[in-house]
Coordinates of all heavy atoms in Angstrom, one line a residue:
M1 N -13.1 -8.8 -39.1 CA -14.4 -9.2 -39.2 C -14.5 -10.8 -38.8 O -14.0 -11.5 -39.5 CB -15.0 -9.1 -40.7 CG -16.4 -9.4 -40.9 SD -16.8 -9.4 -42.7 CE -16.9 -7.6 -43.0
D2 N -15.2 -11.0 -37.7 CA -15.3 -12.3 -37.2 C -16.1 -13.2 -38.0 O -16.0 -14.4 -38.1 CB -15.8 -12.3 -35.7 CG -14.7 -11.7 -34.8 OD1 -13.5 -11.7 -35.2 OD2 -15.0 -11.2 -33.8
D3 N -17.2 -12.6 -38.6 CA -18.2 -13.4 -39.3 C -18.1 -13.3 -40.8 O -19.2 -13.4 -41.5 CB -19.6 -13.1 -38.8 CG -19.9 -11.6 -39.0 OD1 -19.0 -10.8 -39.3 OD2 -21.1 -11.2 -38.8
A4 N -16.9 -13.2 -41.3 CA -16.7 -13.0 -42.7 C -17.2 -14.2 -43.5 O -16.9 -15.4 -43.1 CB -15.2 -12.7 -43.1
D5 N -17.9 -14.0 -44.6 CA -18.3 -15.1 -45.5 C -17.2 -15.5 -46.6 O -17.3 -16.6 -47.1 CB -19.6 -14.9 -46.2 CG -20.7 -14.6 -45.3 OD1 -20.9 -15.4 -44.3 OD2 -21.4 -13.6 -45.4
G6 N -16.3 -14.5 -46.7 CA -15.3 -14.8 -47.7 C -14.1 -13.9 -47.3 O -14.2 -12.7 -46.7
R7 N -12.8 -14.4 -47.6 CA -11.6 -13.8 -47.2 C -10.6 -14.0 -48.4 O -10.5 -15.1 -48.9 CB -11.1 -14.3 -46.0 CG -9.8 -13.8 -45.4 CD -9.4 -14.5 -44.2 NE -10.3 -14.3 -43.1 CZ -10.2 -13.4 -42.1 NH1 -9.2 -12.7 -42.1 NH2 -11.1 -13.3 -41.2
G8 N -9.9 -12.9 -48.8 CA -9.0 -13.0 -49.8 C -7.8 -12.1 -49.6 O -7.9 -11.0 -49.0
E9 N -6.6 -12.6 -50.0 CA -5.4 -11.9 -49.8 C -4.7 -11.6 -51.1 O -4.9 -12.4 -52.2 CB -4.4 -12.7 -49.0 CG -4.8 -12.8 -47.6 CD -3.8 -13.6 -46.8 OE1 -2.7 -13.8 -47.3 OE2 -4.1 -13.8 -45.5
A10 N -4.0 -10.5 -51.3 CA -3.2 -10.3 -52.4 C -1.9 -9.6 -52.0 O -2.0 -8.8 -51.0 CB -3.9 -9.5 -53.5
I11 N -0.8 -9.8 -52.7 CA 0.5 -9.3 -52.3 C 1.0 -8.5 -53.6 O 1.0 -9.0 -54.6 CB 1.5 -10.5 -51.9 CG1 0.9 -11.1 -50.6 CG2 2.9 -9.9 -51.7 CD1 1.7 -12.3 -50.2
N12 N 1.6 -7.4 -53.3 CA 2.3 -6.6 -54.2 C 3.7 -7.3 -54.3 O 4.5 -7.1 -53.4 CB 2.4 -5.1 -53.8 CG 3.0 -4.2 -54.9 OD1 3.7 -4.7 -55.8 ND2 2.8 -2.9 -54.8
T13 N 4.0 -7.9 -55.4 CA 5.2 -8.6 -55.6 C 6.4 -7.6 -55.6 O 7.6 -8.1 -55.4 CB 5.3 -9.5 -56.8 OG1 5.0 -8.7 -57.9 CG2 4.2 -10.6 -56.6
A14 N 6.1 -6.4 -56.0 CA 7.2 -5.4 -56.0 C 7.8 -5.0 -54.6 O 8.9 -4.6 -54.5 CB 6.8 -4.2 -56.8
C15 N 6.9 -5.1 -53.7 CA 7.4 -4.6 -52.3 C 6.9 -5.6 -51.2 O 7.3 -5.2 -50.1 CB 6.8 -3.3 -52.1 SG 4.9 -3.3 -52.1
S16 N 6.2 -6.6 -51.5 CA 5.8 -7.6 -50.6 C 4.6 -7.1 -49.6 O 4.3 -7.7 -48.6 CB 6.8 -8.2 -49.8 OG 7.8 -8.8 -50.5
D17 N 4.1 -5.9 -49.9 CA 3.0 -5.5 -49.1 C 1.7 -6.2 -49.4 O 1.6 -6.9 -50.5 CB 2.7 -3.9 -49.4 CG 3.8 -3.1 -48.8 OD1 4.5 -3.5 -47.9 OD2 3.9 -1.9 -49.2
Q18 N 0.8 -6.2 -48.5 CA -0.3 -7.2 -48.6 C -1.6 -6.5 -48.1 O -1.6 -5.7 -47.3 CB 0.1 -8.3 -47.6 CG -1.1 -9.4 -47.5 CD -0.9 -10.2 -46.1 OE1 0.2 -10.4 -45.7 NE2 -2.1 -10.6 -45.5
V19 N -2.7 -6.9 -48.8 CA -4.0 -6.6 -48.4 C -4.9 -7.8 -48.2 O -4.8 -8.8 -49.0 CB -4.7 -5.7 -49.6 CG1 -6.2 -5.4 -49.2 CG2 -4.0 -4.4 -49.7
T20 N -5.6 -7.9 -47.2 CA -6.6 -8.9 -46.9 C -8.0 -8.2 -47.0 O -8.2 -7.2 -46.2 CB -6.4 -9.6 -45.6 OG1 -5.1 -10.2 -45.5 CG2 -7.4 -10.6 -45.4
M21 N -8.9 -8.8 -47.8 CA -10.3 -8.3 -47.8 C -11.2 -9.3 -47.2 O -11.0 -10.5 -47.5 CB -10.7 -8.0 -49.3 CG -9.9 -6.9 -50.0 SD -10.1 -5.2 -49.4 CE -11.9 -5.1 -49.7
M22 N -12.1 -8.9 -46.5 CA -13.1 -9.7 -45.9 C -14.6 -9.2 -46.3 O -14.8 -8.0 -46.2 CB -13.0 -9.8 -44.3 CG -11.8 -10.4 -43.9 SD -11.1 -9.8 -42.3 CE -10.3 -8.2 -42.9
V23 N -15.4 -10.1 -46.6 CA -16.8 -9.7 -47.0 C -17.8 -10.5 -46.3 O -17.6 -11.7 -45.9 CB -17.0 -9.8 -48.6 CG1 -16.1 -8.9 -49.3 CG2 -16.7 -11.3 -49.0
R24 N -19.0 -9.9 -46.0 CA -20.1 -10.6 -45.5 C -21.3 -10.4 -46.6 O -21.5 -9.3 -47.1 CB -20.7 -10.0 -44.3 CG -21.8 -10.8 -43.6 CD -22.1 -10.6 -42.2 NE -22.5 -9.3 -42.0 CZ -21.8 -8.4 -41.1 NH1 -20.8 -8.8 -40.5 NH2 -22.2 -7.2 -40.9
I25 N -21.8 -11.6 -47.1 CA -22.7 -11.5 -48.2 C -24.0 -12.2 -47.7 O -24.1 -13.2 -47.2 CB -22.0 -12.3 -49.4 CG1 -20.8 -11.7 -49.9 CG2 -23.0 -12.5 -50.5 CD1 -20.0 -12.4 -50.8
V26 N -25.1 -11.4 -48.0 CA -26.4 -11.9 -47.7 C -27.3 -11.8 -48.9 O -27.4 -10.8 -49.6 CB -27.0 -11.0 -46.6 CG1 -28.5 -11.4 -46.3 CG2 -26.1 -11.0 -45.3
N27 N -27.8 -12.9 -49.3 CA -28.7 -13.0 -50.5 C -28.0 -12.5 -51.7 O -28.6 -11.8 -52.6 CB -30.1 -12.3 -50.3 CG -30.8 -13.0 -49.2 OD1 -30.8 -14.2 -49.0 ND2 -31.6 -12.1 -48.4
G28 N -26.7 -12.8 -51.9 CA -26.0 -12.5 -53.1 C -25.6 -11.0 -53.1 O -25.1 -10.5 -54.2
V29 N -25.7 -10.3 -52.0 CA -25.4 -8.8 -51.9 C -24.3 -8.7 -50.9 O -24.4 -9.2 -49.8 CB -26.6 -7.9 -51.7 CG1 -26.1 -6.5 -51.4 CG2 -27.6 -8.0 -52.8
V30 N -23.3 -7.9 -51.1 CA -22.2 -7.6 -50.2 C -22.7 -6.6 -49.2 O -22.9 -5.5 -49.5 CB -21.0 -7.0 -50.9 CG1 -19.8 -6.7 -49.9 CG2 -20.5 -8.0 -51.9
E31 N -23.0 -7.1 -47.9 CA -23.5 -6.3 -46.9 C -22.5 -5.5 -46.2 O -22.7 -4.5 -45.6 CB -24.3 -7.2 -46.0 CG -25.6 -7.8 -46.5 CD -26.8 -6.9 -46.4 OE1 -27.0 -6.3 -45.3 OE2 -27.4 -6.8 -47.4
D32 N -21.3 -6.1 -46.1 CA -20.2 -5.5 -45.4 C -18.9 -5.9 -46.0 O -18.8 -7.0 -46.5 CB -20.3 -5.8 -43.9 CG -19.5 -4.8 -43.0 OD1 -19.0 -3.8 -43.5 OD2 -19.4 -5.1 -41.8
A33 N -17.9 -5.0 -45.9 CA -16.6 -5.3 -46.4 C -15.5 -4.6 -45.5 O -15.8 -3.5 -45.1 CB -16.4 -4.9 -47.8
R34 N -14.5 -5.3 -45.2 CA -13.4 -4.7 -44.3 C -12.1 -5.1 -44.9 O -12.0 -6.1 -45.7 CB -13.6 -5.3 -42.9 CG -14.9 -5.0 -42.2 CD -15.1 -3.7 -41.9 NE -16.6 -3.5 -41.4 CZ -16.9 -3.5 -40.1 NH1 -16.0 -3.8 -39.1 NH2 -18.1 -3.3 -39.8
F35 N -11.1 -4.4 -44.5 CA -9.8 -4.8 -45.0 C -8.7 -4.7 -43.8 O -8.9 -4.0 -42.8 CB -9.3 -3.9 -46.2 CG -9.0 -2.5 -45.8 CD1 -7.7 -2.2 -45.4 CD2 -10.0 -1.5 -45.7 CE1 -7.4 -0.8 -45.1 CE2 -9.7 -0.2 -45.3 CZ -8.4 0.1 -45.0
Q36 N -7.6 -5.5 -44.0 CA -6.4 -5.2 -43.3 C -5.3 -5.1 -44.3 O -5.3 -5.8 -45.3 CB -6.1 -6.5 -42.4 CG -7.1 -6.7 -41.3 CD -6.8 -7.8 -40.4 OE1 -6.4 -8.9 -40.9 NE2 -7.1 -7.7 -39.1
T37 N -4.4 -4.3 -44.0 CA -3.3 -4.1 -44.9 C -2.0 -3.7 -44.3 O -2.0 -3.1 -43.2 CB -3.6 -3.0 -46.1 OG1 -2.6 -2.9 -47.0 CG2 -3.7 -1.7 -45.4
Q38 N -1.0 -4.2 -44.9 CA 0.4 -3.8 -44.5 C 0.9 -3.2 -45.8 O 1.5 -3.9 -46.7 CB 1.2 -5.0 -44.0 CG 2.6 -4.6 -43.6 CD 3.4 -5.7 -43.1 OE1 2.8 -6.8 -42.8 NE2 4.6 -5.6 -42.8
G39 N 0.8 -1.9 -45.9 CA 1.2 -1.3 -47.1 C 1.3 0.2 -47.0 O 1.2 0.8 -45.9
C40 N 1.6 0.9 -48.2 CA 1.9 2.3 -48.2 C 0.5 3.0 -48.1 O -0.6 2.4 -48.1 CB 2.6 2.7 -49.4 SG 1.7 2.4 -51.0
A41 N 0.5 4.3 -48.1 CA -0.8 5.1 -48.0 C -1.6 4.8 -49.2 O -2.9 4.8 -49.0 CB -0.4 6.6 -47.9
A42 N -1.1 4.7 -50.3 CA -1.9 4.4 -51.6 C -2.6 3.1 -51.4 O -3.7 2.9 -51.8 CB -1.0 4.5 -52.8
A43 N -1.9 2.1 -50.9 CA -2.5 0.8 -50.7 C -3.6 0.8 -49.7 O -4.7 0.2 -49.9 CB -1.5 -0.2 -50.3
I44 N -3.4 1.6 -48.6 CA -4.5 1.7 -47.6 C -5.7 2.4 -48.2 O -6.8 2.1 -48.0 CB -3.9 2.4 -46.4 CG1 -2.8 1.6 -45.8 CG2 -5.0 2.8 -45.4 CD1 -2.0 2.4 -44.7
A45 N -5.4 3.6 -48.9 CA -6.5 4.3 -49.5 C -7.3 3.4 -50.5 O -8.5 3.5 -50.5 CB -6.0 5.6 -50.2
A46 N -6.6 2.7 -51.3 CA -7.2 1.8 -52.3 C -8.0 0.8 -51.7 O -9.2 0.4 -52.1 CB -6.2 1.2 -53.2
A47 N -7.6 0.2 -50.6 CA -8.3 -0.8 -49.8 C -9.5 -0.2 -49.2 O -10.7 -0.8 -49.3 CB -7.4 -1.5 -48.8
G48 N -9.4 1.0 -48.7 CA -10.6 1.6 -48.1 C -11.7 2.0 -49.2 O -12.8 1.8 -49.0
A49 N -11.2 2.5 -50.3 CA -12.0 2.8 -51.4 C -12.7 1.5 -52.0 O -13.9 1.6 -52.3 CB -11.3 3.5 -52.5
T50 N -12.0 0.4 -52.0 CA -12.6 -0.8 -52.5 C -13.7 -1.2 -51.6 O -14.8 -1.7 -52.0 CB -11.5 -1.9 -52.6 OG1 -10.5 -1.4 -53.5 CG2 -12.2 -3.2 -53.1
T51 N -13.6 -1.2 -50.3 CA -14.6 -1.5 -49.4 C -15.9 -0.6 -49.6 O -17.1 -1.1 -49.5 CB -14.2 -1.5 -47.9 OG1 -13.8 -0.2 -47.6 CG2 -13.1 -2.4 -47.6
L52 N -15.7 0.7 -49.7 CA -16.8 1.6 -49.9 C -17.5 1.4 -51.3 O -18.6 1.4 -51.4 CB -16.2 3.0 -49.9 CG -15.7 3.5 -48.5 CD1 -15.1 4.8 -48.5 CD2 -16.9 3.4 -47.4
L53 N -16.7 1.0 -52.3 CA -17.3 0.7 -53.6 C -18.2 -0.5 -53.6 O -19.1 -0.6 -54.3 CB -16.2 0.6 -54.7 CG -15.6 1.9 -55.1 CD1 -14.3 1.6 -56.0 CD2 -16.5 2.6 -56.1
V54 N -17.7 -1.5 -52.9 CA -18.4 -2.9 -52.9 C -19.6 -3.0 -52.1 O -20.5 -3.8 -52.4 CB -17.4 -4.0 -52.7 CG1 -17.1 -4.1 -51.1 CG2 -17.8 -5.3 -53.2
M55 N -19.7 -2.2 -51.1 CA -20.9 -2.4 -50.2 C -22.2 -2.1 -50.9 O -22.3 -1.1 -51.6 CB -20.7 -1.6 -48.9 CG -19.8 -2.3 -47.9 SD -19.8 -1.6 -46.3 CE -18.6 -0.3 -46.4
G56 N -23.1 -3.1 -50.8 CA -24.4 -2.9 -51.5 C -24.5 -3.4 -52.8 O -25.5 -3.4 -53.5
K57 N -23.3 -3.9 -53.3 CA -23.3 -4.4 -54.7 C -23.6 -5.9 -54.7 O -23.3 -6.6 -53.7 CB -21.8 -4.2 -55.3 CG -21.4 -2.8 -55.5 CD -21.9 -2.3 -56.7 CE -21.2 -1.0 -57.2 NZ -21.0 0.1 -56.1
T58 N -24.1 -6.4 -55.8 CA -24.3 -7.8 -55.9 C -22.9 -8.5 -56.1 O -22.0 -7.8 -56.4 CB -25.1 -8.2 -57.2 OG1 -24.4 -7.8 -58.4 CG2 -26.5 -7.4 -57.2
V59 N -22.9 -9.8 -56.0 CA -21.6 -10.5 -56.1 C -21.0 -10.2 -57.6 O -19.9 -10.1 -57.7 CB -21.9 -12.0 -55.8 CG1 -20.7 -12.9 -56.3 CG2 -22.1 -12.2 -54.4
E60 N -22.0 -10.3 -58.5 CA -21.5 -10.1 -59.9 C -20.9 -8.7 -60.1 O -19.9 -8.6 -60.7 CB -22.6 -10.3 -60.9 CG -23.1 -11.8 -61.1 CD -23.9 -12.3 -59.8 OE1 -24.4 -11.4 -59.1 OE2 -23.8 -13.5 -59.6
E61 N -21.6 -7.7 -59.6 CA -21.1 -6.3 -59.6 C -19.7 -6.2 -58.9 O -18.8 -5.5 -59.4 CB -22.1 -5.3 -59.1 CG -23.4 -5.2 -59.9 CD -24.5 -4.5 -59.1 OE1 -24.5 -4.4 -57.8 OE2 -25.4 -3.9 -59.8
A62 N -19.6 -6.9 -57.8 CA -18.5 -6.8 -57.0 C -17.2 -7.4 -57.8 O -16.1 -6.8 -57.7 CB -18.6 -7.6 -55.7
L63 N -17.4 -8.4 -58.5 CA -16.3 -9.0 -59.3 C -15.9 -8.1 -60.4 O -14.8 -8.3 -60.9 CB -16.8 -10.4 -59.8 CG -16.9 -11.5 -58.8 CD1 -17.5 -12.6 -59.5 CD2 -15.6 -11.8 -58.3
N64 N -16.7 -7.1 -60.7 CA -16.3 -6.2 -61.8 C -15.6 -5.0 -61.3 O -15.1 -4.1 -62.1 CB -17.5 -5.8 -62.6 CG -18.1 -6.9 -63.5 OD1 -17.3 -7.7 -64.0 ND2 -19.4 -7.0 -63.6
I65 N -15.5 -4.8 -60.0 CA -14.7 -3.6 -59.5 C -13.2 -3.9 -59.8 O -12.6 -4.9 -59.5 CB -15.0 -3.5 -58.0 CG1 -16.4 -3.1 -57.7 CG2 -14.0 -2.5 -57.4 CD1 -16.8 -3.1 -56.3
D66 N -12.7 -2.9 -60.5 CA -11.2 -3.0 -60.9 C -10.5 -1.7 -60.5 O -11.0 -0.9 -59.8 CB -11.2 -3.2 -62.4 CG -11.8 -2.1 -63.2 OD1 -12.0 -1.0 -62.6 OD2 -11.9 -2.3 -64.4
V67 N -9.2 -1.8 -60.8 CA -8.3 -0.8 -60.3 C -8.7 0.6 -61.0 O -8.5 1.6 -60.3 CB -6.8 -1.2 -60.7 CG1 -6.6 -1.2 -62.2 CG2 -5.8 -0.1 -60.1
D68 N -9.3 0.6 -62.1 CA -9.7 2.0 -62.7 C -10.7 2.5 -61.8 O -10.8 3.8 -61.7 CB -10.1 1.7 -64.1 CG -9.1 1.3 -65.2 OD1 -7.9 1.5 -64.8 OD2 -9.3 0.6 -66.1
Q69 N -11.7 1.8 -61.4 CA -12.8 2.4 -60.6 C -12.3 2.8 -59.3 O -12.7 3.8 -58.7 CB -13.9 1.2 -60.3 CG -14.6 0.9 -61.6 CD -15.6 -0.2 -61.3 OE1 -16.4 -0.2 -60.4 NE2 -15.5 -1.3 -62.2
V70 N -11.2 2.0 -58.7 CA -10.7 2.4 -57.4 C -9.9 3.7 -57.5 O -10.1 4.7 -56.7 CB -9.8 1.3 -56.9 CG1 -8.9 1.8 -55.7 CG2 -10.6 0.1 -56.6
V71 N -9.2 3.8 -58.6 CA -8.4 5.1 -58.8 C -9.3 6.3 -59.1 O -9.1 7.3 -58.6 CB -7.4 4.9 -59.9 CG1 -6.7 6.2 -60.3 CG2 -6.3 3.9 -59.6
E72 N -10.4 6.0 -59.8 CA -11.4 7.1 -60.1 C -12.1 7.5 -58.8 O -12.2 8.7 -58.5 CB -12.4 6.6 -61.0 CG -13.5 7.6 -61.5 CD -14.5 7.1 -62.5 OE1 -14.2 6.1 -63.2 OE2 -15.7 7.7 -62.5
Y73 N -12.4 6.6 -57.9 CA -13.0 6.9 -56.7 C -12.0 7.8 -55.8 O -12.6 8.7 -55.2 CB -13.3 5.6 -55.9 CG -14.1 5.8 -54.6 CD1 -15.4 5.9 -54.6 CD2 -13.4 6.0 -53.4 CE1 -16.2 6.2 -53.4 CE2 -14.1 6.3 -52.2 CZ -15.5 6.3 -52.2 OH -16.2 6.6 -51.2
L74 N -10.8 7.5 -56.0 CA -9.8 8.3 -55.2 C -9.4 9.6 -55.8 O -8.6 10.4 -55.4 CB -8.5 7.5 -55.0 CG -8.7 6.2 -54.1 CD1 -7.4 5.4 -54.2 CD2 -9.0 6.6 -52.7
E75 N -10.1 9.8 -57.0 CA -9.8 11.0 -57.8 C -8.3 11.1 -58.3 O -7.7 12.2 -58.2 CB -10.3 12.3 -57.1 CG -11.8 12.3 -56.8 CD -12.2 13.5 -56.1 OE1 -11.4 14.4 -55.8 OE2 -13.4 13.6 -55.9
G76 N -7.8 9.9 -58.5 CA -6.4 9.8 -59.1 C -5.4 9.4 -58.1 O -5.6 9.6 -56.9
L77 N -4.3 8.8 -58.6 CA -3.1 8.5 -57.9 C -1.9 8.8 -58.6 O -2.0 8.8 -59.9 CB -3.1 7.0 -57.5 CG -4.0 6.4 -56.4 CD1 -4.0 4.9 -56.3 CD2 -3.6 7.1 -55.1
P78 N -0.9 9.1 -58.0 CA 0.5 9.2 -58.9 C 0.7 7.9 -59.7 O 0.4 6.9 -59.2 CB 1.5 9.5 -57.8 CG 0.8 10.0 -56.6 CD -0.6 9.3 -56.6
E79 N 1.2 8.1 -60.9 CA 1.4 7.0 -61.7 C 2.2 5.8 -61.0 O 1.9 4.7 -61.2 CB 2.1 7.4 -63.0 CG 2.2 6.4 -64.1 CD 0.8 6.0 -64.6 OE1 -0.1 6.9 -64.7 OE2 0.6 4.8 -65.0
A80 N 3.2 6.3 -60.2 CA 4.0 5.3 -59.6 C 3.3 4.5 -58.5 O 3.9 3.5 -58.0 CB 5.3 6.0 -59.0
K81 N 2.2 5.0 -58.1 CA 1.4 4.4 -57.1 C 0.2 3.5 -57.6 O -0.4 2.8 -56.7 CB 0.9 5.4 -56.0 CG 2.0 6.0 -55.2 CD 2.6 4.9 -54.2 CE 3.7 5.4 -53.3 NZ 4.2 4.4 -52.5
I82 N 0.1 3.5 -58.9 CA -1.1 2.7 -59.4 C -1.0 1.2 -59.0 O -1.8 0.6 -58.7 CB -1.2 2.9 -60.9 CG1 -1.4 4.4 -61.3 CG2 -2.2 2.0 -61.5 CD1 -2.7 4.9 -60.9
G83 N 0.3 0.7 -59.1 CA 0.6 -0.7 -58.8 C 0.2 -1.0 -57.4 O -0.2 -2.1 -57.1
C84 N 0.3 0.0 -56.5 CA -0.1 -0.2 -55.1 C -1.6 -0.5 -54.9 O -2.1 -1.0 -53.9 CB 0.4 0.9 -54.2 SG 2.1 1.3 -54.3
S85 N -2.3 0.1 -55.9 CA -3.8 0.1 -55.7 C -4.4 -1.1 -56.3 O -5.6 -1.4 -56.2 CB -4.5 1.3 -56.4 OG -4.1 1.4 -57.7
V86 N -3.6 -2.0 -57.1 CA -4.1 -3.1 -57.8 C -4.5 -4.3 -56.9 O -5.4 -5.0 -57.0 CB -3.1 -3.7 -58.8 CG1 -3.4 -4.9 -59.3 CG2 -2.9 -2.6 -59.9
I87 N -3.7 -4.4 -55.7 CA -4.0 -5.6 -54.9 C -5.2 -5.5 -54.1 O -5.7 -6.6 -53.8 CB -2.8 -5.6 -53.9 CG1 -2.5 -4.4 -53.1 CG2 -1.5 -6.1 -54.6 CD1 -1.3 -4.6 -52.0
A88 N -5.9 -4.3 -53.9 CA -7.1 -4.3 -53.2 C -8.3 -4.9 -53.9 O -9.0 -5.9 -53.4 CB -7.5 -2.9 -52.8
P89 N -8.5 -4.5 -55.2 CA -9.6 -5.2 -56.0 C -9.2 -6.6 -56.2 O -10.2 -7.5 -56.3 CB -9.7 -4.4 -57.3 CG -8.5 -3.5 -57.3 CD -8.0 -3.3 -55.9
L90 N -8.0 -7.0 -56.4 CA -7.6 -8.4 -56.5 C -7.9 -9.2 -55.2 O -8.5 -10.3 -55.3 CB -6.1 -8.5 -56.9 CG -5.6 -9.9 -57.0 CD1 -6.3 -10.7 -58.1 CD2 -4.1 -9.8 -57.2
A91 N -7.6 -8.7 -54.1 CA -8.0 -9.3 -52.8 C -9.5 -9.5 -52.7 O -10.0 -10.5 -52.2 CB -7.4 -8.6 -51.7
L92 N -10.2 -8.5 -53.2 CA -11.7 -8.5 -53.2 C -12.2 -9.7 -54.0 O -13.1 -10.5 -53.6 CB -12.3 -7.2 -53.6 CG -13.8 -7.2 -53.8 CD1 -14.6 -7.4 -52.5 CD2 -14.3 -5.9 -54.5
Q93 N -11.7 -9.8 -55.3 CA -12.0 -10.9 -56.2 C -11.8 -12.3 -55.5 O -12.6 -13.2 -55.6 CB -11.3 -10.7 -57.5 CG -11.8 -9.6 -58.3 CD -10.9 -9.2 -59.5 OE1 -10.0 -10.0 -59.8 NE2 -11.2 -8.2 -60.1
R94 N -10.7 -12.3 -54.8 CA -10.4 -13.6 -54.0 C -11.3 -13.9 -53.0 O -11.6 -15.0 -52.7 CB -8.8 -13.5 -53.7 CG -8.0 -13.6 -54.9 CD -6.5 -13.5 -54.5 NE -5.7 -13.7 -55.7 CZ -4.4 -13.5 -55.8 NH1 -3.7 -13.0 -54.7 NH2 -3.8 -13.6 -56.9
A95 N -11.7 -12.8 -52.3 CA -12.7 -12.9 -51.1 C -14.0 -13.5 -51.6 O -14.6 -14.3 -51.1 CB -12.8 -11.6 -50.4
I96 N -14.4 -12.8 -52.8 CA -15.7 -13.4 -53.4 C -15.5 -14.9 -53.9 O -16.4 -15.6 -53.7 CB -16.0 -12.5 -54.7 CG1 -16.2 -11.0 -54.2 CG2 -17.3 -13.0 -55.4 CD1 -17.5 -10.7 -53.5
G97 N -14.4 -15.1 -54.4 CA -14.1 -16.5 -54.8 C -14.1 -17.4 -53.7 O -14.6 -18.6 -53.8
D98 N -13.6 -17.0 -52.5 CA -13.7 -17.8 -51.3 C -15.1 -18.1 -50.8 O -15.5 -19.2 -50.6 CB -12.8 -17.1 -50.2 CG -12.8 -17.9 -48.9 OD1 -12.6 -19.1 -48.9 OD2 -13.0 -17.2 -47.8
W99 N -15.9 -17.0 -51.0 CA -17.3 -17.1 -50.6 C -18.0 -18.1 -51.6 O -18.7 -18.9 -51.1 CB -18.0 -15.7 -50.7 CG -19.5 -15.8 -50.6 CD1 -20.3 -16.0 -49.6 CD2 -20.4 -15.8 -51.8 NE1 -21.6 -16.1 -49.9 CE2 -21.7 -16.0 -51.2 CE3 -20.3 -15.6 -53.1 CZ2 -22.9 -16.0 -52.0 CZ3 -21.4 -15.7 -53.9 CH2 -22.7 -15.9 -53.4
K100 N -17.7 -18.0 -52.8 CA -18.3 -18.9 -53.8 C -18.0 -20.4 -53.5 O -18.8 -21.3 -53.6 CB -17.8 -18.6 -55.3 CG -18.6 -17.4 -55.9 CD -18.3 -17.2 -57.3 CE -19.2 -16.2 -58.0 NZ -18.9 -16.0 -59.4
S101 N -16.6 -20.6 -53.2 CA -16.2 -21.9 -52.9 C -16.8 -22.5 -51.7 O -17.1 -23.7 -51.6 CB -14.7 -22.0 -52.8 OG -14.3 -21.4 -51.6
R102 N -17.3 -21.7 -50.7 CA -17.9 -22.1 -49.5 C -19.4 -22.4 -49.8 O -19.9 -23.3 -49.1 CB -17.9 -21.0 -48.4 CG -16.4 -20.7 -47.9 CD -16.5 -19.7 -46.8 NE -15.3 -19.1 -46.5 CZ -15.0 -18.5 -45.3 NH1 -15.9 -18.4 -44.4 NH2 -13.8 -17.9 -45.1
Q103 N -19.9 -21.8 -50.9 CA -21.4 -22.1 -51.2 C -21.5 -23.5 -51.8 O -22.4 -24.2 -51.6 CB -21.8 -21.1 -52.3 CG -21.7 -19.6 -51.9 CD -22.3 -19.3 -50.5 OE1 -23.5 -19.6 -50.3 NE2 -21.5 -19.0 -49.6
S104 N -20.5 -23.9 -52.6 CA -20.5 -25.1 -53.3 C -20.1 -26.3 -52.4 O -20.3 -27.4 -52.8 CB -19.6 -25.2 -54.6 OG -18.3 -24.9 -54.2
G105 N -19.5 -26.0 -51.2 CA -19.0 -27.0 -50.4 C -20.2 -27.5 -49.5 O -20.4 -28.6 -49.1
Ligands
FES1 FE1 4.0 -1.4 -51.3 FE2 2.6 0.7 -52.1 S1 4.8 0.5 -51.7 S2 1.9 -1.3 -51.8

């Protein structure tokens, strides 16, 4: 996403896989969200689910998206893969934080 308003990264320390989330925010609403990831299928699925969950949400709602919502959206993940899905909502929170920091600057 060339015109991202916020960008955030998170790394799974267990395997060093990474997710980057990018958001475009208009009038406090997430108009678009994209991701890049170097990770397993669960990490990719979680990142995709996170982008679908966040679009159309207010910034405050976006900050409340957590791993439980992501796993529910995916209709479950194997227990061993839950850790892989944590990094997507974390990267999203960091992308929102990046957007916020750009607003105050
Ligand atoms: Fe690294 Fe799943 S094995 S994120």
Side-chain angles (χ1 to χ4, degrees):
M1 182 187 287
D2 293 334
D3 56 348
D5 298 312
R7 179 182 296 263
E9 292 182 7
I11 294 174
N12 184 342
T13 56
C15 62
S16 301
D17 287 340
Q18 175 200 330
V19 171
T20 300
M21 299 289 304
M22 294 148 281
V23 292
R24 187 164 61 237
I25 297 173
V26 179
N27 296 325
V29 173
V30 179
E31 292 276 311
D32 199 5
R34 305 287 173 93
F35 72 92
Q36 292 180 323
T37 183
Q38 181 176 351
C40 67
I44 295 167
T50 299
T51 61
L52 294 172
L53 281 166
V54 77
M55 281 194 273
K57 297 276 196 311
T58 65
V59 168
E60 289 73 23
E61 291 169 335
L63 285 171
N64 288 326
I65 293 174
D66 61 13
V67 65
D68 292 338
Q69 292 174 56
V70 171
V71 172
E72 183 179 336
Y73 186 88
L74 294 172
E75 300 182 0
L77 280 175
E79 191 65 33
K81 287 293 181 183
I82 297 295
C84 304
S85 63
V86 170
I87 52 177
L90 179 58
L92 173 64
Q93 291 168 7
R94 290 176 177 169
I96 300 285
D98 180 43
W99 169 79
K100 281 188 172 180
S101 70
R102 295 185 195 195
Q103 303 309 298
S104 58

